[in-house]
Amino acid sequence: MSLVLISCKTNTATQLDNKTEVALKGNWSITSVTYPGQAYIKVTSFEVADSQCFVGSNWSFVSNNNKGQMDLTKSGCGVFGSPITWFINKEGNFVFKILATGEKAKNVKEGYVLKVANLTENTFQLIDTISVGGKLTDVVYQFQRTI
């Protein structure tokens, strides 16, 4: 039996943590996506694809204008690429919106809020808390800086 879950959307805050934003500036790749029960539960991340399709995805973050790009290229998964807008709020949360080509962020009313954890010069984690059968579960996206 397979259970499909979707990350929740939420409204976003606007105060920024510029120091953390500058630390994320650059190009990154997701090296793993983990969560309890992943052998039995399928998670659809950001209403885009199965969470495991994000392994190997490339992300770029530009801190001076809070824009970026995400590209999924994993074999066996659908190809997906999109511009994003993002920021780190004062609570240490990574807030982002997926934009259609040419779409302005102000016209996208909802986005995703994930916790930033274990930030180093070359790695960090984004943690999405989802509900599985009424119990909160963390989906951990492990990022590695690329050259």
Side-chain angles (χ1 to χ4, degrees), residues 92-133:
N93 294 316
F94 178 87
V95 180
F96 84 103
K97 297 177 183 180
I98 299 173
L99 307 174
T101 302
E103 185 174 35
K104 295 193 180 293
K106 69 180 181 180
N107 295 331
V108 178
K109 302 298 180 200
E110 295 178 335
Y112 302 92
V113 180
L114 295 88
K115 181 181 172 189
V116 177
N118 303 313
L119 177 61
T120 70
E121 185 177 335
N122 293 309
T123 63
F124 74 96
Q125 295 172 330
L126 291 179
I127 302 172
D128 191 9
T129 302
I130 62 172
S131 178
V132 178

Side-chain angles (χ1 to χ4, degrees), residues 4-25:
V4 176
L5 300 171
I6 299 175
S7 298
C8 295
K9 287 186 171 185
T10 186
N11 290 329
T12 59
T14 56
Q15 292 184 354
L16 306 180
D17 177 355
N18 297 106
K19 182 179 177 182
T20 304
E21 288 180 356
V22 170
L24 293 184
K25 179 182 176 181

